[in-house]
Amino acid sequence: MFNKRTGEVLAQQLIDQGVGQIYGMPGDSINEFIDDIRKRKDELEFIQVRHEETGALAAAAHAKLTGQIGVCLSIAGPGAIHLMNGLYDAKADKAPVLALVGQVHSEEVGTGAFQEINLERMFDDVAVFNQRAETEAQLPDLMDQAIREAYTHRGVSVLIVPDDLFAEKQKGDVRRTSSGYYVPEMTPKGDRLKEARQLIEQAEKPLILAGKGAKHAKEELLQFAETIKAPIILSLLAKGIIPDHHPYCLGQHGQIGTKPAYHAMKETDLLIMVGTQFPYRDFLPDEVNAIQIDNKPENLGKHYPITTGLAGDAKETLELLNEAVIPVDSRSYLTNYQEKMKDWHIAIQEEKRLESNPLHAPQVMYALEKHMKPGAVVSADVGNVTVWTSRFLSLVDQSYLISGWLATMGSGLPGALAAQKAYPDKQVIGVAGDGGFSMVMHDFVTAVKYDLPIKMVVLNNSKIGMIKYEQEQMGHLNYATDLGEVDFAKFAEACGGEGYRIESFEELGPKMEQAFVSNKPVLIDVVIEDQAPLPGHIDYQSAVNYSKYIVKNFFETGGLDLPDMKKALKRLT
């Protein structure tokens, strides 16, 4: 290590930590480090994106998918500012990410030099680790610490480096700390397990709400549900943990959820939360016993009043409960909601299989299912597309990727890029609305440049659809939600990829078939009719507010903009 360039040492540290890709753009305050990365390009690939926001979102997506640290790189000033949205997405969804950020030369820091901003202050809220190196001697230790902190706190580490320090040579007296992160082993105390067992065995209508913290515990989760005969509701981030049509699965909950999930949650007498910090308190039951399993003790009872908390890993804790709890032979609460879920699936299938024009998003999800391979990764954007993919796209063993807590539009394409780099042999499908896709569409060129055979589906209704519906649900008239028409298929061709424009049901099957046999980056631009993403359950106040919108719209424009009232009536209490 001694007498090597500091940038060379840092590159080796990243390789030693298993980092295979860095997402970013080259520039004047990181050019020294870029040259060190170039020399190790066979082991540490630099993915040049067209906008730093894409790089940060891709790094966050990599971490969410693999559990391994995602890395992004930017210059000072404008580049660093562009990282913020992706870094906040990582923070919100608890994904370990390292942002390496250049700064002006050491002797210019604090002088108001060209492109200098106070990076430490800017990153203070988003980061669990946020340090600027002042000498090259600090950097190897700071790199180890930054990676360790990102893993420990499942968050963002920011290491700020004046560009000249990358070029400085390491001296013989530099002390290195240990690299690596040691996962703590944590299991609940016996008395807490006893409390949980008693609550479970006393309950008549237990319900499991599982989140992304249960992703590695699929078998134990299903065994637990079978043991206590309890249905499972999945948080959005947990979609795909178990098959959507599994007998114990009631789908998602909340605004995007199913009607059976809504009513099961209202009826339960014991809520068992496994690896989730479900944020929507209004969709959780009042005054019922609750058990929460989480490997972060500080999360227990943070968002919901629990009866007892089990501080431990979901997999190990469920194993302990499976051994401790007396199995139940049958439970009417479960069978009742299994029947309700069958009816729900039938209704959903009827909607998906319509052979009519104009096209609607559920029809596109059904066509997509026919081409979705086992083990595929689906990267969904945010907006109405969240509803369409969560409710109508049935997963069996596929992975589902989305911006959960931050819910940032524009996350679908970066997620697809990161997924294809992380898993080059897997099928990767991105699904976005035209609003979300147009925020990051420039980086479709990145897929073309690196020959990433992603299949990007754009649901194109020329509107910011979810905001349009939210305005209507509040009783307001629509304003500033029309986007105008764009032919994204032609854009894809201009980028050097393949583009398919689908405007009718008759084109849907053949063109989808053409798109999925291609081994190139493909954009499938599907023109759909605007459709309200009706909740799985509709409360009366929402219905009243929507009625206000209809009356206002009629008196101001003379037009009626009605949702599918037959469908809406089915979802009323």
Side-chain angles (χ1 to χ4, degrees):
M1 183 181 75
F2 307 134
N3 295 319
K4 288 185 178 180
R5 283 170 52 96
T6 299
E8 184 181 355
V9 173
L10 299 182
Q12 184 62 55
Q13 286 179 268
L14 290 172
I15 293 168
D16 291 344
Q17 290 280 355
V19 175
Q21 296 91 29
I22 300 178
Y23 294 90
M25 289 185 70
D28 56 1
S29 57
I30 54 172
N31 278 333
E32 291 285 2
F33 189 43
I34 288 289
D35 196 54
D36 293 304
I37 296 173
R38 176 188 63 81
K39 296 171 184 175
R40 305 300 299 275
K41 61 184 178 182
D42 292 338
E43 302 161 277
L44 185 61
E45 186 178 13
F46 181 75
I47 309 298
Q48 177 218 43
V49 294
R50 300 306 171 100
H51 195 286
E52 289 91 350
E53 178 186 16
T54 302
L57 285 168
H62 175 91
K64 293 177 195 180
L65 278 172
T66 68
Q68 302 300 308
I69 196 164
V71 182
C72 53
L73 176 64
S74 85
I75 66 169
I81 295 168
H82 291 163
L83 292 177
M84 292 298 283
N85 193 47
L87 297 185
Y88 268 103
D89 177 59
K91 174 186 178 179
D93 286 348
K94 295 179 172 54
V97 167
L98 171 64
L100 294 169
V101 183
Q103 182 56 289
V104 299
H105 278 225
S106 302
E107 66 272 15
E108 295 179 327
V109 173
T111 67
F114 177 68
Q115 292 193 330
E116 182 192 8
I117 64 171
N118 190 329
L119 295 172
E120 297 95 302
R121 180 176 295 177
M122 185 181 77
F123 288 116
D124 187 59
D125 179 63
V126 76
V128 297
F129 175 90
N130 177 24
Q131 294 291 334
R132 173 171 61 86
E134 297 189 3
T135 70
E136 70 279 5
Q138 298 172 287
L139 272 165
D141 285 354
L142 287 176
M143 177 70 89
D144 282 342
Q145 187 178 353
I147 294 172
R148 189 182 303 113
E149 296 273 352
Y151 276 125
T152 300
H153 300 290
R154 310 300 294 179
V156 176
S157 282
V158 178
L159 182 55
I160 303 163
V161 187
D163 193 34
D164 55 298
L165 297 187
F166 289 118
E168 295 292 333
K169 297 289 185 69
Q170 289 291 307
K171 307 299 189 294
D173 58 352
V174 174
R175 180 182 62 84
R176 279 289 309 277
T177 57
S178 297
S179 61
Y181 167 67
Y182 300 92
V183 180
E185 295 183 4
M186 182 186 301
T187 54
K189 289 186 175 181
D191 57 342
R192 295 297 183 190
L193 284 168
K194 184 178 179 180
E195 290 177 13
R197 174 185 172 178
Q198 291 174 343
L199 289 170
I200 292 168
E201 292 179 352
Q202 291 168 3
E204 296 182 359
K205 299 176 180 180
L207 177 64
I208 300 167
L209 176 60
K212 67 169 186 172
K215 276 189 173 183
H216 65 303
K218 172 182 175 179
E219 293 182 6
E220 292 76 15
L221 177 65
L222 288 175
Q223 183 184 344
F224 180 59
E226 172 67 25
T227 298
I228 68 171
K229 296 296 185 292
I232 302 171
I233 295 174
L234 299 173
S235 73
L236 178 62
L237 292 175
K239 181 178 172 68
I241 289 181
I242 62 175
D244 284 319
H245 284 268
H246 192 280
Y248 283 88
C249 184
L250 299 186
Q252 275 68 59
H253 191 39
Q255 187 80 357
I256 63 167
T258 69
K259 185 176 180 180
Y262 178 88
H263 286 288
M265 189 66 77
K266 287 295 183 183
E267 192 178 340
T268 184
D269 60 1
L270 176 64
L271 178 61
I272 306 169
M273 295 179 285
V274 184
T276 182
Q277 291 290 300
F278 190 81
Y280 304 109
R281 179 66 180 83
D282 290 344
F283 285 94
L284 297 179
D286 295 322
E287 299 179 1
V288 300
N289 287 327
I291 300 168
Q292 184 176 4
I293 301 171
D294 203 290
N295 64 358
K296 296 284 187 181
E298 65 270 24
N299 289 340
L300 297 174
K302 181 178 180 180
H303 293 285
Y304 185 77
I306 61 176
T307 311
T308 191
L310 302 178
D313 175 78
K315 183 181 179 73
E316 296 176 1
T317 304
L318 288 173
E319 286 177 347
L320 293 172
L321 288 174
N322 284 329
E323 294 172 1
V325 175
I326 298 174
V328 175
D329 292 331
S330 64
R331 197 183 297 275
S332 61
Y333 174 69
L334 171 64
T335 55
N336 179 36
Y337 279 99
Q338 286 176 327
E339 289 301 313
K340 291 179 183 293
M341 203 62 196
K342 286 179 183 177
D343 293 339
W344 173 268
H345 284 312
I346 290 170
I348 291 293
Q349 286 296 321
E350 290 175 352
E351 192 170 350
K352 289 162 64 170
R353 297 189 184 201
L354 288 174
E355 298 181 358
S356 60
N357 288 302
L359 280 172
H360 290 98
Q363 295 167 284
V364 183
M365 295 301 103
Y366 183 58
L368 193 55
E369 283 178 7
K370 296 177 182 179
H371 300 284
M372 194 166 55
K373 294 180 179 179
V377 178
V378 178
S379 176
D381 214 303
V382 170
N384 281 355
V385 67
T386 309
V387 179
W388 308 137
T389 56
S390 64
R391 187 177 294 158
F392 292 94
L393 187 64
S394 297
L395 304 186
V396 179
D397 65 348
Q398 294 83 10
S399 299
Y400 185 76
L401 178 66
I402 198 167
S403 173
W405 276 66
L406 188 63
T408 179
M409 291 173 66
S411 60
L413 176 60
L417 296 174
Q420 197 70 83
K421 288 304 300 182
Y423 303 118
D425 296 329
K426 288 189 176 185
Q427 182 192 59
V428 174
I429 301 168
V431 188
D434 52 327
F437 181 72
S438 61
M439 289 184 171
V440 294
M441 58 192 286
H442 41 72
D443 266 294
F444 186 76
V445 180
T446 303
V448 174
K449 176 176 179 177
Y450 292 97
D451 197 23
L452 303 176
I454 64 171
K455 304 297 178 281
M456 193 72 211
V457 180
V458 178
L459 302 175
N460 188 350
N461 62 0
S462 302
K463 292 179 177 63
I464 310 175
M466 178 159 280
I467 306 306
K468 174 182 181 291
Y469 172 68
E470 287 177 354
Q471 290 177 353
E472 295 167 2
Q473 192 181 37
M474 295 172 70
H476 301 324
L477 293 175
N478 295 136
Y479 183 68
T481 55
D482 289 337
L483 293 174
E485 295 185 8
V486 178
D487 189 328
F488 291 105
K490 290 181 179 178
F491 166 76
E493 293 173 357
C495 292
E498 293 185 11
Y500 296 88
R501 174 91 165 178
I502 298 173
E503 298 179 313
S504 68
F505 177 78
E506 291 72 24
E507 293 179 323
L508 182 60
K511 288 192 175 181
M512 195 73 84
E513 179 75 31
Q514 284 181 283
F516 274 89
V517 297
S518 173
N519 60 359
K520 295 182 179 180
V522 175
L523 197 155
I524 307 165
D525 181 15
V526 189
V527 179
I528 61 170
E529 182 78 359
D530 186 37
Q531 181 182 14
L534 296 175
H537 164 84
I538 300 174
D539 61 80
Y540 282 109
Q541 190 57 50
S542 294
V544 168
N545 287 339
Y546 201 97
S547 299
K548 289 179 183 177
Y549 158 78
I550 292 170
V551 172
K552 285 183 182 179
N553 187 60
F554 177 75
F555 281 116
E556 293 206 15
T557 69
L560 284 175
D561 183 9
L562 295 173
D564 186 333
M565 297 310 295
K566 182 179 178 182
K567 194 187 312 175
L569 287 171
K570 285 183 179 180
R571 298 182 186 176
L572 282 168
T573 301

